[in-house]
Amino acid sequence: MKKLLGGLLIFSVVIAGCSSDEDELMDFYNAFQETVEVEKEIGDVTARFDELEAEKAELQESLETASIEELPEISADLVENTEARVAQLDEEVAIMAESRSRMETSEQYISEISNESNQEQAQSLVDAMKERYSAHGEMIGSYKTVLESERSIFEYLGEEDISQDEVDERLNNLNEEYQQVQEDAQTFSEQTENVNEIKREIESRIEG
């Protein structure tokens, strides 16, 4: 799951030198590009999330040889790790909210585009971006469900009386939730590519 977040950023291209109708489209495009700059911050979030995932893997591996007495401490460490990962997701949500704010600011330029075809193209980019934000929200929601389930399992491992059957059942449910995350991540990836495709079309118009 480590590489799901980040890495799906919309690409950035610098464009210069155009005329008349294309100037209006470029004004919109340049404003829209602010979303790209904001989302670059997700790289740091992803890096920290990956570190936490590696830490979780090490803790889980230590469970295999842990004694009953050691379980509560490892359990507490895993719960703390999970909370830290949730915090990283919250950071990504905040970044995407700022990205959306920049995108909404760029919308004001659409009405100033006199060429109808260019205006429609700009609007299609905004619409595609809104769908992308929605897909991102679904993905993060699914991921938080997974992390809540993980937290519950880790807390259970720290209890005095635990059963393998109960652990197995919870893990099976967790695997199903992970599948939902994978599906939502795929949708987000597709929406990101759709945005990029429209961006490429607009860039072609501006470049003439």
Side-chain angles (χ1 to χ4, degrees), residues 1 9 13 32 34-35 37 40 43 50 79 82 88 92 106 136 141-142 153 163 165 208:
M1 308 300 298
L9 299 178
V13 174
F32 182 90
E34 290 294 318
T35 65
E37 294 303 312
K40 286 180 180 178
D50 288 352
V79 170
T82 303
Q88 292 304 303
E92 178 158 334
S106 74
H136 183 269
S142 295
I153 293 173
S163 73
D165 287 343

Short mmCIF file of all heavy atoms in Angstrom, two decimals, residues 1 9 13 32 34-35 37 40 43 50 79 82 88 92 106 136 141-142 153 163 165 208:
data_model
loop_
_atom_site.label_atom_id
_atom_site.label_comp_id
_atom_site.label_asym_id
_atom_site.label_seq_id
_atom_site.Cartn_x
_atom_site.Cartn_y
_atom_site.Cartn_z
N MET A 1 0.81 -1.21 0.00
CA MET A 1 0.00 0.00 0.00
C MET A 1 0.85 1.27 0.00
O MET A 1 0.33 2.35 -0.15
CB MET A 1 -0.89 0.02 1.25
CG MET A 1 -1.71 -1.23 1.46
SD MET A 1 -2.80 -1.52 0.08
CE MET A 1 -3.81 -0.07 0.15
N LEU A 9 0.66 12.81 -8.82
CA LEU A 9 0.51 14.24 -9.01
C LEU A 9 0.29 14.60 -10.48
O LEU A 9 0.82 13.96 -11.37
CB LEU A 9 1.76 14.97 -8.51
CG LEU A 9 2.10 14.80 -7.03
CD1 LEU A 9 3.40 15.55 -6.73
CD2 LEU A 9 0.99 15.31 -6.15
N VAL A 13 3.95 21.82 -16.79
CA VAL A 13 4.72 22.23 -17.97
C VAL A 13 4.68 23.75 -18.05
O VAL A 13 3.65 24.37 -17.88
CB VAL A 13 4.11 21.65 -19.27
CG1 VAL A 13 4.83 22.21 -20.49
CG2 VAL A 13 4.19 20.13 -19.27
N PHE A 32 -4.50 27.83 -12.91
CA PHE A 32 -4.77 26.42 -12.59
C PHE A 32 -3.50 25.71 -12.15
O PHE A 32 -3.53 24.82 -11.29
CB PHE A 32 -5.36 25.72 -13.81
CG PHE A 32 -5.73 24.27 -13.56
CD1 PHE A 32 -6.99 23.94 -13.10
CD2 PHE A 32 -4.80 23.25 -13.77
CE1 PHE A 32 -7.33 22.62 -12.86
CE2 PHE A 32 -5.13 21.93 -13.53
CZ PHE A 32 -6.41 21.61 -13.07
N GLU A 34 -1.35 26.53 -10.23
CA GLU A 34 -1.09 26.68 -8.79
C GLU A 34 -1.46 25.40 -8.04
O GLU A 34 -0.87 25.09 -7.01
CB GLU A 34 -1.87 27.86 -8.23
CG GLU A 34 -1.37 29.22 -8.69
CD GLU A 34 0.03 29.50 -8.18
OE1 GLU A 34 0.31 29.21 -7.00
OE2 GLU A 34 0.85 30.03 -8.96
N THR A 35 -2.42 24.65 -8.58
CA THR A 35 -2.80 23.39 -7.93
C THR A 35 -1.64 22.41 -7.97
O THR A 35 -1.42 21.63 -7.02
CB THR A 35 -4.03 22.74 -8.61
OG1 THR A 35 -3.69 22.37 -9.95
CG2 THR A 35 -5.20 23.69 -8.63
N GLU A 37 1.60 23.18 -8.02
CA GLU A 37 2.61 23.60 -7.07
C GLU A 37 2.25 23.18 -5.65
O GLU A 37 3.10 22.72 -4.89
CB GLU A 37 2.80 25.12 -7.15
CG GLU A 37 3.36 25.62 -8.47
CD GLU A 37 4.70 24.96 -8.79
OE1 GLU A 37 5.57 24.93 -7.91
OE2 GLU A 37 4.85 24.48 -9.93
N LYS A 40 2.77 19.42 -4.84
CA LYS A 40 4.15 18.93 -4.73
C LYS A 40 4.50 18.62 -3.28
O LYS A 40 5.37 17.80 -3.01
CB LYS A 40 5.13 19.96 -5.31
CG LYS A 40 5.12 20.04 -6.82
CD LYS A 40 6.11 21.08 -7.33
CE LYS A 40 6.11 21.16 -8.85
NZ LYS A 40 7.04 22.20 -9.36
N GLY A 43 4.71 15.01 -1.73
CA GLY A 43 5.91 14.17 -1.78
C GLY A 43 6.49 13.94 -0.39
O GLY A 43 6.88 12.81 -0.05
N ASP A 50 5.76 6.34 4.07
CA ASP A 50 6.52 5.14 3.73
C ASP A 50 7.43 4.72 4.88
O ASP A 50 7.58 3.52 5.16
CB ASP A 50 7.36 5.39 2.48
CG ASP A 50 6.51 5.46 1.21
OD1 ASP A 50 5.31 5.17 1.30
OD2 ASP A 50 7.06 5.81 0.15
N VAL A 79 -0.06 0.74 17.75
CA VAL A 79 -1.16 1.70 17.82
C VAL A 79 -0.63 3.12 17.59
O VAL A 79 -1.23 3.90 16.83
CB VAL A 79 -1.87 1.62 19.19
CG1 VAL A 79 -2.85 2.79 19.36
CG2 VAL A 79 -2.61 0.30 19.34
N THR A 82 0.09 3.60 13.99
CA THR A 82 -1.14 3.77 13.21
C THR A 82 -1.66 5.20 13.33
O THR A 82 -2.08 5.80 12.33
CB THR A 82 -2.22 2.79 13.69
OG1 THR A 82 -1.72 1.45 13.59
CG2 THR A 82 -3.48 2.90 12.84
N GLN A 88 -0.64 11.56 8.87
CA GLN A 88 -0.10 11.83 7.53
C GLN A 88 -1.22 11.92 6.50
O GLN A 88 -1.18 12.75 5.59
CB GLN A 88 0.91 10.75 7.14
CG GLN A 88 2.19 10.76 7.95
CD GLN A 88 2.88 12.11 7.90
OE1 GLN A 88 3.21 12.62 6.85
NE2 GLN A 88 3.09 12.71 9.07
N GLU A 92 -2.28 15.09 4.05
CA GLU A 92 -2.53 15.03 2.61
C GLU A 92 -3.90 15.62 2.28
O GLU A 92 -4.06 16.32 1.27
CB GLU A 92 -2.45 13.59 2.10
CG GLU A 92 -2.76 13.49 0.62
CD GLU A 92 -2.20 12.24 -0.04
OE1 GLU A 92 -1.20 11.70 0.45
OE2 GLU A 92 -2.77 11.82 -1.06
N SER A 106 -8.98 29.62 -10.00
CA SER A 106 -8.73 29.65 -11.44
C SER A 106 -10.03 29.69 -12.25
O SER A 106 -10.03 30.13 -13.41
CB SER A 106 -7.90 28.44 -11.87
OG SER A 106 -8.67 27.25 -11.86
N HIS A 136 -10.14 11.26 -4.79
CA HIS A 136 -9.12 11.29 -3.73
C HIS A 136 -9.78 11.17 -2.36
O HIS A 136 -9.29 10.45 -1.47
CB HIS A 136 -8.31 12.59 -3.81
CG HIS A 136 -7.21 12.67 -2.80
ND1 HIS A 136 -7.39 13.24 -1.55
CD2 HIS A 136 -5.92 12.24 -2.83
CE1 HIS A 136 -6.26 13.16 -0.87
NE2 HIS A 136 -5.35 12.56 -1.62
N GLY A 141 -10.80 8.08 2.48
CA GLY A 141 -11.82 7.53 3.37
C GLY A 141 -11.65 6.03 3.55
O GLY A 141 -11.73 5.50 4.67
N SER A 142 -11.38 5.34 2.45
CA SER A 142 -11.18 3.89 2.51
C SER A 142 -9.92 3.55 3.30
O SER A 142 -9.89 2.59 4.07
CB SER A 142 -11.08 3.31 1.09
OG SER A 142 -12.28 3.47 0.39
N ILE A 153 -7.11 -4.06 15.74
CA ILE A 153 -6.39 -5.33 15.84
C ILE A 153 -5.18 -5.18 16.76
O ILE A 153 -4.93 -6.03 17.63
CB ILE A 153 -5.92 -5.80 14.44
CG1 ILE A 153 -7.13 -6.17 13.58
CG2 ILE A 153 -4.96 -6.98 14.56
CD1 ILE A 153 -6.79 -6.48 12.14
N SER A 163 -7.54 -14.64 21.14
CA SER A 163 -7.65 -15.94 20.46
C SER A 163 -7.20 -15.79 19.01
O SER A 163 -7.41 -14.75 18.39
CB SER A 163 -9.10 -16.44 20.50
OG SER A 163 -9.93 -15.70 19.62
N ASP A 165 -8.42 -17.34 16.49
CA ASP A 165 -9.59 -17.28 15.61
C ASP A 165 -10.07 -15.84 15.46
O ASP A 165 -10.45 -15.41 14.35
CB ASP A 165 -10.72 -18.15 16.18
CG ASP A 165 -10.44 -19.63 16.01
OD1 ASP A 165 -9.56 -19.98 15.20
OD2 ASP A 165 -11.09 -20.44 16.70
N GLY A 208 -0.09 26.50 -29.95
CA GLY A 208 -0.47 26.74 -31.34
C GLY A 208 0.06 25.69 -32.26
O GLY A 208 0.24 25.93 -33.44
#
